[in-house]
């Protein structure tokens, strides 16, 4: 039984790897099941045993990576990352092909929206965003503002082929997020100068 399980896992990994390679090369709409089968060195039936179609395969890949990013959120703190525990950017680097395909020009809008949901959820859980200097501001506006900024920074990092190492990006993002409470103060100073 375990031999069958290993074969199934190997087939699924080959299919996923082939699909990601193809997404790097061309638009998802131009990828066929036959392309995936040829690249993975499996027959079409094998793909259909595991996935309804290429969109089901894409959805499962997205959910697999979102789940892993959520686990990283739950198991690491800012200090863990600064002390060498792998954070999001290290995971992004390890899975560069997938994330660059999702976030670069050939990307999937569904992935971007799922990723934004995850970032907003993480911000909501990690920061007391409506207290202190943020009192009186809409939590929804704060979360969307910083969530979109985080996703944009990740997209920028991939589109520019990772110009900074993962740890540098982690540190910079944490520093920017920790400055959240100061934003209303800057707005008030700006009003006084007008």
């Amino acid at each position: 039984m375990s031999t069958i399980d290993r074969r199934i896992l190997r087939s699924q990994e080959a299919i996923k790897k082939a699909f990601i390679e193809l997404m790097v090369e061309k638009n998802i709409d131009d990828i066929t099941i036959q392309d995936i089968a040829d690249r993975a060195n499996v027959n079409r039936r094998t793909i259909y045993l595991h996935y309804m179609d290429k969109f089901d395969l894409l959805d499962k890949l997205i959910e697999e990576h979102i789940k892993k990013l959520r686990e990283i959120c739950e198991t690491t703190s800012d200090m863990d990352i600064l002390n060498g525990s792998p954070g999001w950017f290290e995971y992004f680097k390890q899975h560069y092909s997938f994330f660059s395909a999702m976030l670069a020009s050939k990307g999937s809008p569904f992935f971007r929206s799922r990723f934004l949901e995850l970032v907003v959820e993480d911000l909501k859980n990690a920061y007391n965003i409506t207290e202190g200097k943020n009192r009186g501001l809409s939590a929804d506006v704060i979360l969307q503002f910083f969530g979109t900024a985080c996703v944009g920074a990740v997209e920028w990092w991939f589109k520019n082929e990772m110009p900074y190492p993962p740890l540098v990006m982690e540190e910079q993002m944490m520093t920017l997020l920790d400055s959240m409470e100061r934003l209303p103060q800057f707005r008030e100073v700006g009003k006084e100068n007008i």
Side-chain angles (χ1 to χ4, degrees):
M1 185 77 169
S2 63
T3 308
I4 295 171
D5 291 344
R6 276 185 278 168
R7 279 191 358 225
I8 290 169
L9 288 175
R10 271 197 310 268
S11 292
Q12 287 177 329
E13 287 306 312
I15 291 166
K16 289 187 243 181
K17 182 178 183 277
F19 187 49
I20 291 168
E21 288 172 0
L22 288 164
M23 284 192 304
V24 169
E25 296 170 15
K26 54 186 171 178
N27 191 306
I28 189 168
D29 293 331
D30 299 328
I31 298 171
T32 66
I33 291 294
Q34 190 62 55
D35 292 336
I36 300 167
D38 291 345
R39 181 71 60 99
N41 199 23
V42 297
N43 63 46
R44 291 168 46 99
R45 277 191 312 244
T46 302
I47 295 173
Y48 287 120
L49 281 174
H50 303 291
Y51 309 101
M52 294 185 325
D53 55 25
K54 67 183 176 184
F55 299 106
D56 182 44
L57 171 55
L58 178 61
D59 289 347
K60 285 185 171 59
L61 272 169
I62 289 170
E63 290 310 314
E64 180 180 308
H65 287 289
I66 292 291
K67 180 181 177 195
K68 183 60 180 170
L69 290 170
R70 183 172 283 116
E71 288 170 8
I72 292 170
C73 288
E74 292 169 356
T75 58
T76 59
S77 69
D78 292 352
M79 288 311 298
D80 292 335
I81 291 166
L82 295 177
N83 289 325
S85 295
W88 277 14
F89 282 89
E90 190 59 42
Y91 184 76
F92 292 150
K93 181 181 175 186
Q94 292 168 3
H95 301 278
Y96 179 82
S97 295
F98 173 79
F99 288 108
S100 63
M102 291 292 99
L103 294 168
S105 61
K106 298 178 182 108
S108 165
F110 178 68
F111 174 76
R112 191 180 192 287
S113 68
R114 289 288 289 125
F115 184 44
L116 178 58
E117 286 174 21
L118 175 65
V119 171
V120 167
E121 176 186 317
D122 186 46
L123 291 172
K124 194 179 211 177
N125 293 333
Y127 293 91
N128 192 358
I129 58 171
T130 57
E131 293 300 315
K133 295 174 185 171
N134 290 342
R135 183 169 281 134
L137 295 178
S138 165
D140 291 334
V141 171
I142 295 168
L143 289 169
Q144 287 304 309
F145 180 83
F146 281 100
T148 304
C150 290
V151 171
V154 172
E155 287 174 326
W156 170 85
W157 193 62
F158 278 106
K159 286 179 183 176
N160 289 283
E161 299 179 7
M162 301 185 297
Y164 298 101
L167 185 58
V168 170
M169 287 300 292
E170 296 281 353
E171 290 171 345
Q172 300 241 346
M173 296 283 283
M174 286 187 292
T175 299
L176 289 167
L177 288 171
D178 287 343
S179 71
M180 260 196 287
E181 292 185 1
R182 290 184 285 220
L183 287 177
Q185 181 183 21
F186 292 141
R187 189 171 51 134
E188 291 169 15
V189 169
K191 282 182 183 177
E192 291 171 5
N193 293 334
I194 293 177

